[in-house]
Amino acid sequence: MVDEVLTCETIGGIPVPELVERFGTPLYVYDGEIIRRRLGELRRFDVVRYAQKACSNLAILALVRQEGALVDAVSAGEIYRALAAGYCPTGDPPPIVFCADVFDRPTLALVVERGVHVNCGSLDMIEQYGRLAPGREITLRINPGFGHGHSRKTNTGGDHSKHGIWHEAIPEALQLAGRYGLKVAGLHMHIGSGSDFEHLSQVCGAMEAAARKVGPGVHSISAGGGLPIPYRPGEGRIDLARYFRLWDDTRRRLEEAFGHPVRLEIEPGRYVVAESGYLVTEIRAVKRQGDNLFYLVDAGFNCLARPILYGAYHPMKLAPRNGRQDLPLQEVIVGGPLCESGDIFTQSEGGWVEKRRLPAAQVGDWLVIGCTGAYGFTMASNYNSHPLPAEVLILNGMPHLVRKRQSYEELFAGESIPPELQGG
């Protein structure tokens, strides 16, 4: 058995020291070739609709659009991002679909004005949209009554989830849509992340039952997202051919029942971008606390929140500053600079601190945290008044700065001090 390589020399063919010298740390780096590869693996579906909440940088959206994928949006801001990246607001199939459980007022006004297709996740959405845009087509997101996820916080089905229209309320949803002449043209079902095939077969069955309730007006079904990726050593890849067959069989049965084609969509986010992303951070302290050895880096959960939110595992590799080789391994805890005990990258769900075997490091070496392309930068914050990190996209062997590092002045650019608090 070959030992796992725990050092990193290049990202996307670019040496790590070169990336750091040009762009600094903390730094998000995305390998565009991996994004292209993942999208190519999904082309058997009629429509690949990228869930941009995973990574919504304009350059990523433009790359996804260039590769032929459409886009999902969950906020007005994501709609504006899609438009800025070159997506049209309307078309067949819809280039942009707004998918949510509620409308805030600005988003409702925007989708009505620009004609963006809406995937309704609540009866109130149908009511509010129908009043302003009667006669249009909509999609319904259905909660089948069960869910699945690698964490309780990523389970999006069942009666503990806020997502989707409860499956027993489909007749009420159809009646409400009919009141405003809204045509239910599609159904969407997503029960959570990391779904296995046992759960997937249940979802397919629930989708088929829901579609038959709605009737032949259904012209598209969406498998949602949640496709898993291997984060830990030894984890295998999902069998995409088997995944597609389950959904394709469901689609074909509906086509036979309805007498017309039914478009099959998939809505991946993490699967497309997670493995493309790396968070490069500098080790700023190596300290022993009793029996524990800590590597403290210049990125914290303000840069990558998944470990503190979900106890998520991310692979880590050391990039020695001077190219040292054959470094001994040692058990370490990796933490960030924030004034929070939970600012630990090596923890499991519930906040339990874990150790990781990593090469012996010195201050000034870099730690490369992998599989951070999804829900990395998009969940970043200014906690402790740290600036947001820079983002770099590597295309065809060339690194491009696609978001500059936030300046300290930009941290408080929108703030103001009342006149009575100014001066002496």
Side-chain angles (χ1 to χ4, degrees), residues 105-141:
R105 295 182 188 276
T107 304
L108 178 56
L110 178 62
V111 296
V112 171
E113 175 191 353
R114 301 303 296 268
V116 172
H117 186 89
V118 174
N119 183 18
C120 297
S122 66
L123 298 179
D124 285 314
M125 282 187 74
I126 300 173
E127 172 80 29
Q128 293 160 12
Y129 186 67
R131 286 178 180 175
L132 296 179
R136 293 189 186 177
E137 289 189 349
I138 60 172
T139 302
L140 301 183
R141 176 172 180 171

Side-chain angles (χ1 to χ4, degrees), residues 54 103 172 202 312 318 342 351 394:
F103 282 121
E172 187 178 353
Q202 294 179 34
L318 185 74
I394 298 176

Side-chain angles (χ1 to χ4, degrees), residues 77-311:
E78 288 194 349
I79 293 173
Y80 281 117
R81 281 185 171 278
L83 295 172
Y87 283 97
C88 296
T90 60
D92 185 22
I96 306 170
V97 168
F98 174 71
C99 179
D101 296 292
V102 296
F103 282 121
D104 58 45
R105 295 182 188 276
T107 304
L108 178 56
L110 178 62
V111 296
V112 171
E113 175 191 353
R114 301 303 296 268
V116 172
H117 186 89
V118 174
N119 183 18
C120 297
S122 66
L123 298 179
D124 285 314
M125 282 187 74
I126 300 173
E127 172 80 29
Q128 293 160 12
Y129 186 67
R131 286 178 180 175
L132 296 179
R136 293 189 186 177
E137 289 189 349
I138 60 172
T139 302
L140 301 183
R141 176 172 180 171
I142 305 299
N143 184 326
F146 58 89
H148 187 266
H150 62 79
S151 163
R152 287 173 296 174
K153 298 176 183 178
T154 61
N155 185 322
T156 58
D159 59 3
H160 287 244
S161 172
K162 66 179 181 178
H163 295 294
I165 295 171
W166 191 247
H167 60 104
E168 295 174 342
I170 291 176
E172 187 178 353
L174 295 176
Q175 184 180 29
L176 191 56
R179 182 184 305 170
Y180 296 103
L182 296 172
K183 304 174 184 65
V184 179
L187 295 180
H188 172 281
M189 200 170 283
H190 172 52
I191 62 167
S193 62
S195 54
D196 58 33
F197 286 104
E198 178 183 348
H199 281 85
L200 182 63
S201 63
Q202 294 179 34
V203 179
C204 291
M207 173 65 85
E208 184 174 349
R212 289 177 182 271
K213 284 183 182 179
V214 175
V218 172
H219 284 77
S220 72
I221 57 173
S222 173
L227 288 173
I229 65 149
Y231 282 97
R232 296 176 181 269
E235 289 183 343
R237 305 200 67 84
I238 186 170
D239 185 344
L240 281 177
R242 183 181 175 190
Y243 186 97
F244 174 77
R245 281 197 304 272
L246 280 169
W247 277 110
D248 190 42
D249 289 345
T250 304
R251 180 255 298 274
R252 291 179 186 278
R253 288 192 295 270
L254 291 175
E255 288 180 332
E256 183 176 352
F258 296 158
H260 60 69
V262 175
R263 186 172 66 242
L264 179 57
E265 296 197 5
I266 191 170
E267 193 182 88
R270 174 177 51 172
Y271 188 83
V272 174
V273 293
E275 293 165 285
S276 77
Y278 304 82
L279 176 58
V280 183
T281 179
E282 184 181 351
I283 296 174
R284 298 299 302 151
V286 178
K287 60 187 296 189
R288 185 168 291 281
Q289 305 280 71
D291 293 332
N292 294 323
L293 182 64
F294 286 79
Y295 290 174
L296 300 184
V297 299
D298 63 1
F301 70 71
N302 59 305
C303 298
L304 178 65
R306 293 187 77 249
I308 194 171
L309 286 177
Y310 313 125

Side-chain angles (χ1 to χ4, degrees), residues 347-358:
Q347 62 177 289
S348 58
E349 189 166 15
W352 298 102
V353 174
E354 296 183 341
K355 296 179 180 180
R356 192 78 63 86
R357 287 181 63 81
L358 289 170

